[in-house]
Amino acid sequence: MLGGMTAPTFSHELTVASALAREAGALLLAHLRAGFTVEHKTSADDPVTVADREASTLIMTALAAAFPSDGLLSEEETDDRARLGHDRVWIVDPIDGTKEYSTGLPDYCVSIGLAVGGEPVLGVVYAPETDELFSGVVGQGVFLNGQPVPAPGSGPDWRIAVSDTEHGRELHRTSLPGMKPSGSIALKLARIAAGQVDATFTMSPRSEWDIAAGHALLRAAGGDLRRRDGRPVRYNQLRPHIEQGLIGGTPAALDWLEGQLRGHRLPVAHLGLTPSDPAWTLLPESDRAALDGHPGVNVRHASGEVLALLVVNPGTRQVERAEGDAFHLDRLTRDVTRALGTTQS
């Protein structure tokens, strides 16, 4: 009971979202059988297909009809800022893991989340290739194909779901135990909520649509997802991107993983750094004075040390400064390019 009123169960919302996820999944499988052309937004790591767009249209049209008073946000639709005036907002990624989908790998999913007051409260993640439907509401538990999921693991051999891209580029060179590379982060979070793995982290930023549904599932399972600097993730923001790496999992696994990341000095990117961000204090005092108020300060850092600095004018995409270790600067440049588009030296 809240203020004398019964807390919402979201049963209708869960039914609608689950049906839409399955319908969109069937559409994706049909496109796989028929074949399609792959396009790219900013790089080979950022593909898009006709299936993304058609699945998005299917989901967004149906959500708008079923819940006309709610806001909507999808990766594949033009952002309607009217959503900012809504307390309830559906956040959709029609294919999380398009790279895997477009190359014939099974590690992709349909992701539909509902945020209320900036908090993720409902999540549905559907993996078409394995016919796994993960669904849940915060306070009501998580279900896999309608059945309650098992209790989370208790360690000490934690299973850590990591990005296959990040693993291929640099994580394979570390001795972090228990790593299991895979594609979709939404599916990673759903599998943590279902007790199939225990925790995850990223070095690069993600967007709201990548994680909203999975975050809700994780919360429903008693876990959490947060920024690598410890701050919470809030949804339905003006710019729907979490401009730094993330870490999430069940409580015990999450505590263990945070210690491991510090001990292995695993880096994290932070785009659009401001004086209010903890990582701002890592800049030399002269840089803090010179860059205060600049909208395009981007860093990659680990264990209190700035590994790379990239200062870009967001309007012109002109690179104003590029400093640091060549490897980390390349990784940071990739993150900034994905966020802004191609930069100019």
Side-chain angles (χ1 to χ4, degrees):
M1 300 288 286
L2 296 174
M5 299 178 65
T6 303
T9 64
F10 299 103
S11 58
H12 178 51
E13 288 87 343
L14 198 61
T15 298
V16 170
S18 298
L20 284 174
R22 287 193 176 276
E23 188 176 353
L27 185 153
L28 301 186
L29 292 175
H31 273 292
L32 276 179
R33 290 191 294 268
F36 50 81
T37 300
V38 179
E39 303 170 25
H40 295 92
K41 298 176 183 177
T42 59
S43 71
D45 292 331
D46 197 13
V48 65
T49 71
V50 64
D52 293 81
R53 298 185 180 108
E54 289 188 9
S56 182
T57 299
L58 183 159
I59 295 168
M60 299 291 273
T61 299
L63 288 175
F67 308 105
S69 297
D70 293 354
L72 299 169
L73 174 64
S74 169
E75 179 178 15
E76 304 305 335
E77 308 289 337
T78 301
D79 187 7
D80 182 358
R81 296 294 176 83
R83 66 179 169 79
L84 298 172
H86 293 269
D87 189 53
R88 291 177 27 132
V89 179
W90 293 91
I91 303 174
V92 174
D93 194 342
I95 310 179
D96 189 56
T98 300
K99 183 179 178 182
E100 287 71 24
Y101 173 74
S102 64
T103 54
L105 298 175
D107 193 25
Y108 65 90
C109 67
V110 179
S111 176
I112 303 175
L114 176 65
V116 178
E119 299 284 345
V121 299
L122 175 153
V124 172
V125 170
Y126 179 57
E129 297 283 352
T130 53
D131 192 30
E132 293 174 288
L133 183 76
F134 304 85
S135 61
V137 174
V138 175
Q140 299 175 38
V142 177
F143 297 83
L144 173 53
N145 291 338
Q147 300 300 312
V149 302
S154 57
D157 297 322
W158 300 113
R159 301 157 295 177
I160 309 303
V162 298
S163 160
D164 50 8
T165 300
E166 293 182 352
H167 185 268
R169 286 183 178 153
E170 57 188 302
L171 284 176
H172 69 278
R173 303 186 302 181
T174 76
S175 58
L176 177 69
M179 289 189 290
K180 297 182 177 298
S182 59
S184 161
I185 189 170
L187 198 48
K188 288 182 182 70
L189 296 173
R191 295 198 186 285
I192 296 169
Q196 298 175 9
V197 287
D198 302 302
T200 190
F201 72 97
T202 74
M203 292 182 284
S204 296
R206 296 295 188 270
S207 298
E208 289 188 20
W209 45 74
D210 298 321
I211 61 173
H215 190 179
L217 290 172
L218 195 49
R219 292 182 69 213
D224 199 12
L225 177 74
R226 53 182 178 259
R227 298 167 182 263
R228 286 273 300 273
D229 65 12
R231 292 183 296 173
V233 177
R234 298 282 295 175
Y235 293 86
N236 195 31
Q237 301 299 297
L238 177 63
R239 192 166 189 274
H241 306 286
I242 296 84
E243 300 292 17
Q244 58 182 275
L246 301 163
I247 182 170
T250 55
L254 191 52
D255 289 344
W256 174 86
L257 181 56
E258 287 192 314
Q260 290 290 314
L261 297 185
R262 288 191 298 270
H264 287 83
R265 300 189 72 250
L266 291 177
V268 60
H270 193 138
L271 311 187
L273 194 67
T274 71
S276 64
D277 297 314
W280 182 263
T281 61
L282 302 181
L283 296 173
E285 185 176 351
S286 58
D287 280 346
R288 295 201 298 269
L291 297 173
D292 191 357
H294 195 295
V297 180
N298 310 284
V299 299
R300 200 172 206 245
H301 64 91
S303 300
E305 177 187 0
V306 174
L307 305 172
L309 169 70
L310 188 65
V311 181
V312 180
N313 183 315
T316 64
R317 299 177 186 170
Q318 189 76 30
V319 174
E320 298 175 359
R321 286 178 63 182
E323 303 169 3
D325 174 85
F327 176 84
H328 293 291
L329 186 58
D330 177 69
R331 301 276 82 77
L332 180 60
T333 300
R334 288 174 181 267
D335 289 337
V336 173
T337 297
R338 187 159 188 172
L340 296 180
T342 304
T343 57
Q344 301 177 36
S345 300

